[in-house]
Amino acid sequence: MTMPECHCPGDRRAGAGLLAVALVACVAVVAGGASAVAAEKKTRVARKAPPPKLERIDCMVGTEDQQARIAIEAVGGRIQNFAYYGKTKPRTCSMDVKRDDAFSKWEDNGSVTVVTLVDDTGAFLIDNEKGGYRFIFRDIDRMRYCGMDGKINGSLTVVRRQNRYTCTVDRVIIEGPD
């Protein structure tokens, strides 16, 4: 059997050497491709989870003439904003408090959030209880939100039961010269 003629400089063994180099190069390309596929699989696993879902909650307790309402937006169990509306006919009071606005400072500490209103006009303590939220009103200035002298103190609880939220006003005390 004769070796094919080599058109490369050197002797006939040079052809065998080139074949060996080509074979090594081929193996390196295949191995490099395999590691690229493995790297691709690792990046697929390392993708970020989707952002938490926005949850909107709205509930009311009371009658048309005397009621308390709260609307809440939460992301991942953390309140982002809430709006409270209270009515004791003929008086009404409403407040809308948003995270990162110019009118409040929010501090999260575990399952509790403290919302301090500007100009020392009161504070809210929000307890993210299992299955709901409890809002505690602390010396909320009625003049800023209701246009009347006095303070609002008390608490309102929002509880999730059977995929539905219900409100309970534990007590909301409106102090003032009415």
Side-chain angles (χ1 to χ4, degrees), residues 56-89:
R56 289 192 170 108
I57 304 162
D58 183 16
C59 61
M60 179 192 102
V61 64
T63 65
E64 182 62 34
D65 292 339
Q66 192 168 357
Q67 62 177 280
R69 290 179 171 240
I70 194 157
I72 304 166
E73 285 189 342
V75 174
R78 276 183 39 173
I79 303 279
Q80 300 301 307
N81 68 299
F82 64 93
Y84 168 80
Y85 173 81
K87 180 177 181 182
T88 303
K89 202 169 187 175

Side-chain angles (χ1 to χ4, degrees), residues 93-115:
C93 185
S94 66
M95 53 192 78
D96 187 9
V97 185
K98 293 180 177 29
R99 189 178 287 269
D100 299 324
D101 69 2
F103 305 105
S104 61
K105 178 183 172 191
W106 294 58
E107 294 178 45
D108 296 308
N109 188 7
S111 65
V112 175
T113 302
V114 177
V115 182

Side-chain angles (χ1 to χ4, degrees), residues 22-148:
L23 186 59
V24 169
C26 214
V27 168
V29 168
V30 171
S35 65
V37 170
E40 174 76 18
K41 286 182 181 178
K42 285 182 183 177
T43 57
R44 285 184 194 158
V45 172
R47 286 189 182 158
K48 290 192 284 186
K53 187 177 171 183
L54 174 68
E55 183 176 29
R56 289 192 170 108
I57 304 162
D58 183 16
C59 61
M60 179 192 102
V61 64
T63 65
E64 182 62 34
D65 292 339
Q66 192 168 357
Q67 62 177 280
R69 290 179 171 240
I70 194 157
I72 304 166
E73 285 189 342
V75 174
R78 276 183 39 173
I79 303 279
Q80 300 301 307
N81 68 299
F82 64 93
Y84 168 80
Y85 173 81
K87 180 177 181 182
T88 303
K89 202 169 187 175
R91 296 182 177 17
T92 61
C93 185
S94 66
M95 53 192 78
D96 187 9
V97 185
K98 293 180 177 29
R99 189 178 287 269
D100 299 324
D101 69 2
F103 305 105
S104 61
K105 178 183 172 191
W106 294 58
E107 294 178 45
D108 296 308
N109 188 7
S111 65
V112 175
T113 302
V114 177
V115 182
T116 306
L117 302 173
V118 296
D119 302 328
D120 294 325
T121 54
F124 292 95
L125 177 72
I126 305 171
D127 189 0
N128 184 355
E129 299 174 340
K130 187 175 184 176
Y133 303 95
R134 184 167 188 228
F135 291 80
I136 299 173
F137 298 71
R138 290 187 179 162
D139 294 326
I140 307 296
D141 182 30
R142 277 183 33 183
M143 184 55 75
R144 180 177 189 91
Y145 297 101
C146 314
M148 298 171 258

